[in-house]
Amino acid sequence: MIKLPSFFKKNSNSVSLSLSGGGARGAIHIGVLQALVENDIKIDAVAGTSIGSIIGSFFCGGVPPKEMLEIMKTQSFSKIFHFSWNKKGLLKMERLYELMQEYLPHNSFEALEIPFFAGLSNLDKGEFEIFNSGDLHKAVAASASIPVIFEPVEINGYNYVDGGLFNNMPVDPLLNGDSYVVGVHTNNYRPEPELSLFTIAERVFTLVILNNTKESFEKCDYLVNPFLEKDYGLLDFDNTDILYNTGYKAGLEFVKEFKKDIL
């Protein structure tokens, strides 16, 4: 856990969270959320990109972290994302839509219990956009649509893909509030030494999004950025418990520091 140099005392005991993308490493977010919830840390708002958008929307919709952990553990990747074999991408997100319909049936940002902001990349305009109103399911699916791997999602006549393309940890929507801004970053890991076509592609994508995340780091009051001794791949959902426990431990470290600072 890092307390950023820009930190200053605020008249608040609450936090706003920015959850980064990172595929299966998003289980870290669930662990951090569990640590905050069980220590009664009030969360005023959440912003997220990619897996951070999925987890953020579920949390803001009232799904407890422990339940999200079970969803991630029991819903295999092949069940969530079905092969589409078309020219736009290898996979489509029918099962993800089904899960959102089950847990977030209102399909509306406005109906969430906590304000939520999803980060998307407009593929046609070449711009990063924040969504916080309207069709929740489409916005979240678009935010998690890794280019080439997943189909783009069409919203209002534009094609949208993973927000990490331009901003993997959106912070700006949280800066106008009174709460402390906490970034949770999941891509701090030791690279896989054995190279393959997939590991090279994943590493290139990770380096690109890491570069666009550095500016977000500097805007946070705190950064939760646990180091992973190995590269848990974007689509590797077999190590969910390990990643959750890593996030939970990092979350407890943050809680300890945060409570000390606000007293």
Side-chain angles (χ1 to χ4, degrees), residues 124-141:
D124 302 317
K125 291 185 176 181
E127 297 175 354
F128 180 75
E129 297 180 16
I130 289 289
F131 278 59
N132 69 333
S133 64
D135 191 320
L136 176 67
H137 296 177
K138 272 195 170 184
V140 170

Side-chain angles (χ1 to χ4, degrees), residues 6 10 16 23 41 68 72 84 94 140 171 174 177 183 212-213 230-231 246 255 262:
S6 61
K10 297 183 180 180
S16 292
I41 303 297
M68 284 191 277
M72 185 172 281
S84 62
E94 288 180 356
V140 170
V171 171
L174 309 175
N212 73 42
T213 308
K230 60 170 286 187
D231 175 6
T246 298
V255 168
I262 62 177

Side-chain angles (χ1 to χ4, degrees), residues 33-42 248 251-252 255 259:
L33 287 168
Q34 178 60 32
L36 300 185
V37 167
E38 67 183 38
N39 283 279
D40 299 318
I41 303 297
K42 184 176 182 295
Y248 179 69
L252 291 179
V255 168
K259 286 189 173 182

